[in-house]
Amino acid sequence: MTSELSKTFDPAAIEAKWYSHWEETGAFRPDRPDAEPFTIVNPPPNVTGSLHIGHALDNTLQDIVIRYERLRGKDALWVVGTDHAGIATQMVVERQLEERQDKRTNYSREEFVDKVWEWKEESGGTITRQLRRLGCSMDWSREQFTMDDHFTKAVLKVFVDLYNDGLIYRDKRLVNWDLKLRTAISDLEVETRDVQGSFWTFIYPLADGSGDIRVSTTRPETMLADMAVAVHPEDERYKDLVARGAKVKLPITGREIPIVADEHADPELGSGAVKITPGHDFNDFEVGKRAGIAPADMLNMLDADANVCQTADGLIPEELLGLERFEARKRVVEMLKDSGHLVTHKSKTKKGEEVELDAEPRTIATPFGDRGGVVIEPWLTDQWYVDAEKLAAKPIDAVKSGEIEIVPATWEKTFFNWMENIQPWCVSRQLWWGHRIPAWYDADGNVFVAETEEEAQAKAGEGVALTRDEDVLDTWFSSALWPFATLGWPDAEARVEKHYPNSLLISGFDILFFWDARMMMMGYYNMGERPWEKLYLHGLVRAADGSKMSKSKGNVVDPLGLIDQYGADALRFFMAAMESQGRDIKMDEKRVEGYRNFATKLWNATRFCQGYGIGASDTIKAPPARLAANQWIIGEVQQTVEALDKAMAELRFDAAANTVYHFTWDRFCDWYLELIKPVLQSDEDGPIQQETKAVAGWALDQILVMLHPFMPFVTEELWHAQGDRKYDLIHAKWPEPRAAVSKDATDAIDWVIALTTATRGARNELGISPGEKLPAFIENPSPLAQGVIDRSSAAIERLARLTPITVGEAPAGAAMQVSSGSDVFIVPLEGVIDVDAERARLEKALAASQKEAKSLEGRLGNANFVERAKPEAVEKAKADHTFHLDEIARLEAALERLG
């Protein structure tokens, strides 16, 4: 017995109901101990986070896959959890303290960490609630957190194992130092902004007084720690200086530094000479090492707050010590100008007058901390590093051999380029919140690495006083263990054995190196095998104009707002339909609205079925069918299932979504229901009507199952509305039509559909009323056409509005032609329309579109317009040009129909 549906589809009314039902009944993790496992893990969002449009895409794709595999009977596990997000979480809690005129340093480390845990319990579940609103069918019964006890145990074990194997070590290297947060941060946490700055040129005298070298820089203050001047080995201007071991004597400090040959110097840029400050620039650090300067000997001129401090050689003048870095910059420039070592830059005003400036104005790409919001300082410190080069070897081999497949394969080149040139991975952070590094030091600085303090003490010896390392591990270190630590490793052997390796990872391409590659490294190191079989990398969701979304631009789209307005199903379907491998997605709210209308179409189609007593099917196999329309829809279901399975196997989400969309809207709603109306409306409740109701109910069920991974809420609602069910749709069986259908029957229906489509299009082009019945003539019908005309002329009359159909020659006069396959029908137009007036109208419209298309073509061919106009204006011109080209084709076809 069906449940009557309301006349209007309201997503909000059903979404909360079904999600709570699924979660309360354990639907996301059915008990299937003997089934083939299928496992994915979600990229853990920050515990501080809120759902953004990128999360919506990433998690929609994962949910489509996990629901699909669950419907196929697999033991589908979607591991869910959040990341402790060291920097972000500590910032949130510190900000709360500041609001109360309090600060972190008023507390002990342990007291502050307790406050973070309190915040996590009170406010840390925002994003997990939002993932539920999106419909994510995750295993919440085992929700993970990277600071959970079992996860911390795994993190400490891995650190100690890596240390014992010589793959983690302490070293002095440059890091991205965030002054506001007072910690090293990863490259991912650095954003580059264009800043208006200056390019200064200085004179460095040769130490022997025989001349000088000119160098240029955007950071004059760093000259206080210069240790070399580099020139290109092939630069003839400096070959003699390099050969005789010449040195320069730095202004201000008087330090004598060598001139070294290094390919980092560009002979075409400025003087071709580059000042080298290895302790404060990443490129210079590498040049310094190649020049034989050990990192431990590199000069450091800034403290943790970027104030000038004395270098190891004690040559920085007293008056500069303690100055903030940008104040020091001003003072250094003043001192060099006063001493005659500043080369002025000649420029012209808008009026053409020549002026001298201290520096050349330039736009400079400047690194900022994405959370601290201040300019990052490359800083030489002692940090813990992972030997990433050694760990990268097995992942590289795995991708090359195909053991791990990257989809789309175009990302392989990028992957290899990074992995084959990988640098040591800095894993220490100067924070209080996070996994504290399991290293203890004695009074002489000897280090003892162990999982517990007791084990470290045993290594150091009884009575030796130990102090634990103050740093915590980089958040990416713990999340690199996500595929196996979330399963309970190093314990929970049965679960780990069943679900590791995972089946698939879906990830944004932007974290390929920071997370995905590191999971490969840790998977092979700790588990001895790949973390997953396949890695799918999706693009970004961009603003409608193709630009990157950002708060500063005001073009950020809130996915929850879209869910409120159109429903989660519509947003999910948009994400799937637009996810094309290797391409970013342009946000288009009208499309989201369109997919809400698609859900409404399905809702109304179900109401239509209910109105004729069509309810739930009791069979997975297709019901027996004799009626051509019923055989046709069964065949269409089979083709759709095959196409959908192929698209899902290839992870072509757009193809999968569009396959089920077009079957549902075009084949089922628009054609099948129209084809069977006469049978349903007949007063005879005979075998054909019963067959039709059975097939229609079965076909609708197949739609609900196939569409469920994409639109889980509306499909579950309609599934239950169609009658009593033994199980929820989320646990239904994937379609297996297993039916043989008559090719003659399906060909006949396809022929009628093609004829009807062509006729309706021709009517629209010529302005003929869609309901007006028109006579049609066909001289030499194919056997297929003859058979349909003989058996189904009533269907042709009802759908194509062609009647009578005469086999024979058409009368002379104006007419239009419509085709179905090789069959051409002549439809006389005398008395139907004013042919001359219609021809004049079409010719006028054609001329207008041709003129406009030519104008737009000229505009788009103008480089000045394309390069200087606003992007939205260029896009509109392109869209208008395409529109008029389509209009020209349509109007020419209409004129051709008139003869």
Side-chain angles (χ1 to χ4, degrees):
M1 177 70 77
T2 59
S3 303
E4 185 177 355
L5 293 167
S6 63
K7 290 183 178 180
T8 56
F9 167 55
D10 178 13
I14 63 174
E15 290 177 1
K17 175 183 81 172
W18 283 115
Y19 199 92
S20 60
H21 169 79
W22 290 326
E23 190 170 357
E24 288 165 7
T25 58
F28 301 147
R29 193 73 179 94
D31 185 26
R32 295 174 177 173
D34 300 322
E36 178 187 348
F38 186 90
T39 309
I40 59 175
V41 296
N42 80 316
N46 287 351
V47 69
T48 57
S50 295
L51 191 75
H52 58 61
I53 202 72
H55 290 135
L57 169 63
D58 193 68
N59 286 280
T60 291
L61 300 182
Q62 292 174 75
D63 197 43
I64 288 169
V65 171
I66 206 71
R67 285 180 184 269
Y68 170 72
E69 296 295 353
R70 192 183 291 120
L71 288 166
R72 295 175 74 209
K74 293 185 181 177
D75 180 15
L77 169 63
W78 186 4
V79 175
V80 60
T82 50
D83 192 285
H84 66 276
I87 294 174
T89 307
Q90 183 159 320
M91 279 185 67
V92 166
V93 177
E94 287 199 56
R95 198 176 297 125
Q96 286 187 345
L97 292 175
E98 288 170 6
E99 290 170 359
R100 300 195 295 265
Q101 284 74 53
D102 203 352
K103 57 184 179 180
R104 170 173 60 93
T105 51
N106 288 343
Y107 301 88
S108 68
R109 183 182 191 127
E110 291 70 23
E111 289 170 338
F112 178 77
V113 168
D114 286 344
K115 287 190 174 294
V116 179
W117 278 108
E118 289 171 12
W119 173 88
K120 194 260 181 187
E121 294 306 312
E122 293 172 6
S123 309
T126 299
I127 196 161
T128 56
R129 291 190 294 273
Q130 293 167 338
L131 288 171
R132 288 172 167 89
R133 286 206 61 194
L134 189 63
C136 298
S137 56
M138 298 158 155
D139 181 16
W140 297 107
S141 68
R142 291 194 64 259
E143 183 178 350
Q144 303 289 300
F145 183 53
T146 49
M147 287 288 285
D148 285 341
D149 288 343
H150 77 273
F151 211 101
T152 298
K153 178 181 178 181
V155 170
L156 298 182
K157 172 179 168 51
V158 171
F159 186 97
V160 173
D161 288 349
L162 286 167
Y163 179 82
N164 290 337
D165 288 340
L167 295 171
I168 274 188
Y169 56 91
R170 195 160 169 80
D171 195 11
K172 187 181 287 291
R173 295 177 63 91
L174 278 186
V175 296
N176 298 305
W177 186 257
D178 189 309
L179 308 180
K180 183 172 176 67
L181 304 177
R182 292 176 61 85
T183 182
I185 62 174
S186 72
D187 291 341
L188 182 65
E189 293 155 329
V190 176
E191 60 182 26
T192 301
R193 305 178 196 169
D194 286 339
V195 175
Q196 293 305 309
S198 300
F199 194 56
W200 288 270
T201 299
F202 303 137
I203 298 169
Y204 281 5
L206 294 175
D208 61 7
S210 61
D212 59 59
I213 282 184
R214 299 189 176 197
V215 297
S216 298
T217 181
T218 59
R219 301 166 65 210
E221 69 282 5
T222 60
M223 64 87 59
L224 299 174
D226 278 358
M227 299 188 74
V229 170
V231 296
H232 195 277
E234 302 303 319
D235 195 329
E236 294 293 339
R237 294 170 292 180
Y238 304 112
K239 276 189 173 181
D240 177 63
L241 293 177
V242 174
R244 63 186 174 90
K247 294 185 176 183
V248 300
K249 185 173 183 178
L250 292 175
I252 301 179
T253 63
R255 182 182 303 118
E256 293 190 8
I257 60 176
I259 300 170
V260 299
D262 194 284
E263 291 184 354
H264 171 65
D266 183 353
E268 304 299 321
L269 190 62
S271 67
V274 184
K275 62 184 284 300
I276 301 300
T277 320
H280 294 281
D281 182 275
F282 288 101
N283 289 321
D284 292 3
F285 180 80
E286 297 301 327
V287 175
K289 286 200 299 180
R290 290 194 290 271
I293 305 172
D297 297 329
M298 293 177 182
L299 297 177
N300 177 45
M301 53 158 285
L302 296 173
D303 63 17
D305 296 312
N307 297 325
V308 177
C309 64
Q310 188 56 269
T311 51
D313 58 10
L315 294 177
I316 296 179
E318 188 76 24
E319 65 177 289
L320 296 175
L321 298 180
L323 289 182
E324 185 271 335
R325 56 180 169 168
F326 297 126
E327 283 299 318
R329 177 175 300 178
K330 293 177 185 177
R331 185 67 189 116
V332 165
V333 170
E334 289 171 359
M335 294 172 75
L336 290 170
K337 186 175 182 180
D338 291 345
S339 64
H341 293 100
L342 175 70
V343 179
T344 57
H345 173 73
K346 291 181 172 58
S347 182
K348 287 187 177 181
T349 66
K350 291 181 179 179
K351 295 180 179 180
E353 299 168 344
E354 192 170 279
V355 294
E356 280 194 356
L357 304 173
D358 286 349
E360 176 190 350
R362 279 196 182 182
T363 300
I364 301 166
T366 306
F368 283 78
D370 65 349
R371 291 190 174 88
V374 298
V375 176
I376 291 301
E377 190 64 46
W379 199 44
L380 195 62
T381 63
D382 290 310
Q383 303 282 347
W384 287 93
Y385 290 88
V386 169
D387 189 342
E389 183 179 359
K390 289 181 181 175
L391 291 179
K394 287 185 178 178
I396 290 171
D397 290 343
V399 175
K400 284 182 176 178
S401 69
E403 183 172 280
I404 293 177
E405 180 185 0
I406 297 180
V407 181
T410 48
W411 281 108
E412 287 183 4
K413 183 178 179 181
T414 307
F415 172 81
F416 291 133
N417 184 57
W418 189 75
M419 292 288 273
E420 289 168 355
N421 296 282
I422 200 165
Q423 297 297 307
W425 172 18
C426 176
V427 293
S428 47
R429 297 290 181 267
Q430 290 64 55
L431 301 169
W432 281 1
W433 171 245
H435 298 105
R436 195 166 176 182
I437 288 175
W440 285 262
Y441 303 91
D442 65 15
D444 296 325
N446 297 309
V447 62
F448 303 93
V449 173
E451 292 184 44
T452 66
E453 187 171 1
E454 291 74 21
E455 292 174 12
Q457 190 68 65
K459 288 183 175 184
E462 188 176 348
V464 176
L466 295 179
T467 303
R468 187 168 184 176
D469 197 304
E470 292 289 326
D471 291 352
V472 300
L473 283 165
D474 174 19
T475 293
W476 294 105
F477 184 91
S478 50
S479 60
L481 317 184
W482 198 246
F484 51 90
T486 53
L487 299 173
W489 182 90
D491 304 318
E493 291 180 7
R495 188 187 303 116
V496 173
E497 184 176 346
K498 182 170 186 179
H499 293 285
Y500 187 91
N502 305 161
S503 308
L504 168 71
L505 179 73
I506 293 177
S507 162
F509 72 83
D510 51 334
I511 55 173
L512 170 60
F513 308 127
F514 300 100
W515 189 48
D516 306 343
R518 287 166 177 169
M519 281 189 286
M520 293 188 203
M521 296 182 202
M522 291 301 187
Y524 279 105
Y525 174 74
N526 292 286
M527 309 298 291
E529 56 183 324
R530 60 189 176 181
W532 6 258
E533 301 164 19
K534 191 178 291 188
L535 167 62
Y536 180 84
L537 297 170
H538 60 74
L540 302 177
V541 183
R542 295 185 175 273
D545 62 0
S547 63
K548 193 170 182 179
M549 291 187 187
S550 71
K551 291 179 181 178
S552 60
K553 291 180 181 177
N555 62 355
V556 174
V557 174
D558 177 15
L560 297 175
L562 292 172
I563 290 173
D564 289 338
Q565 191 167 359
Y566 303 111
D569 285 333
L571 177 60
R572 289 167 59 103
F573 205 92
F574 167 80
M575 292 298 184
M578 299 300 287
E579 171 53 27
S580 180
Q581 288 183 10
R583 298 177 61 184
D584 289 341
I585 292 174
K586 287 185 181 180
M587 193 62 227
D588 186 345
E589 192 169 331
K590 292 299 291 182
R591 275 186 175 268
V592 180
E593 182 181 6
Y595 293 127
R596 195 271 314 275
N597 295 341
F598 171 54
T600 300
K601 178 95 170 178
L602 179 61
W603 185 273
N604 290 336
T606 307
R607 291 184 69 243
F608 172 87
C609 289
Q610 289 184 351
Y612 289 100
I614 298 169
S617 176
D618 59 1
T619 176
I620 293 170
K621 182 181 178 182
R626 295 176 56 201
L627 190 69
N630 290 335
Q631 292 196 51
W632 175 78
I633 197 65
I634 290 170
E636 290 292 315
V637 168
Q638 290 187 139
Q639 291 178 30
T640 301
V641 172
E642 289 169 6
L644 194 50
D645 284 338
K646 183 176 186 294
M648 289 301 294
E650 295 172 353
L651 295 175
R652 295 195 174 275
F653 293 96
D654 54 346
N658 290 318
T659 293
V660 69
Y661 176 92
H662 287 296
F663 171 72
T664 304
W665 189 299
D666 301 339
R667 313 310 270 173
F668 183 81
C669 295
D670 282 356
W671 288 113
Y672 178 64
L673 295 184
E674 190 68 29
L675 287 164
I676 65 173
K677 264 185 185 177
V679 176
L680 298 176
Q681 292 170 348
S682 169
D683 292 334
E684 295 183 17
D685 186 17
I688 292 298
Q689 190 178 85
Q690 291 304 312
E691 171 196 304
T692 300
K693 288 181 179 180
V695 171
W698 173 85
L700 180 55
D701 272 7
Q702 307 317 296
I703 287 173
L704 297 178
V705 176
M706 290 188 290
L707 191 55
H708 179 75
F710 305 89
M711 293 181 138
F713 294 110
V714 67
T715 51
E716 188 76 80
E717 178 75 10
L718 296 178
W719 173 263
H720 287 280
Q722 278 297 87
D724 295 332
R725 304 285 192 174
K726 295 178 181 178
Y727 40 76
D728 290 338
L729 176 58
I730 193 174
H731 295 154
K733 187 170 176 58
W734 190 248
E736 290 183 22
R738 301 196 304 271
V741 295
S742 165
K743 188 174 187 303
D744 289 343
T746 57
D747 286 350
I749 296 298
D750 284 332
W751 187 91
V752 171
I753 289 172
L755 176 62
T756 303
T757 302
T759 305
R760 288 174 178 174
R763 287 171 183 271
N764 182 57
E765 288 169 0
L766 297 175
I768 300 171
S769 169
E772 185 171 353
K773 293 182 180 179
L774 303 174
F777 296 81
I778 181 169
E779 282 195 52
N780 299 299
S782 65
L784 173 61
Q786 188 65 65
V788 176
I789 292 168
D790 291 344
R791 293 191 305 271
S792 305
S793 59
I796 297 174
E797 176 183 348
R798 186 169 54 82
L799 296 171
R801 310 302 285 173
L802 295 178
T803 187
I805 291 179
T806 303
V807 177
E809 187 177 351
M816 69 178 184
Q817 293 184 1
V818 291
S819 302
S820 179
S822 61
D823 294 299
V824 180
F825 288 80
I826 307 299
V827 181
L829 295 177
E830 295 293 344
V832 178
I833 60 172
D834 184 333
V835 176
D836 291 338
E838 182 62 18
R839 183 178 287 111
R841 183 188 71 80
L842 292 171
E843 288 173 344
K844 182 179 179 181
L846 176 61
S849 272
Q850 288 172 331
K851 181 181 179 181
E852 190 62 27
K854 186 175 181 181
S855 171
L856 288 162
E857 186 176 346
R859 200 184 310 172
L860 290 167
N862 183 340
N864 282 335
F865 170 74
V866 174
E867 293 170 7
R868 297 180 182 178
K870 291 183 178 179
E872 53 266 33
V874 177
E875 285 300 314
K876 185 178 187 306
K878 288 179 179 178
D880 289 347
H881 185 243
T882 301
F883 168 78
H884 284 292
L885 290 178
D886 291 343
E887 273 294 278
I888 290 168
R890 184 185 71 80
L891 293 165
E892 287 177 341
L895 283 166
E896 190 177 340
R897 290 186 193 282
L898 288 178

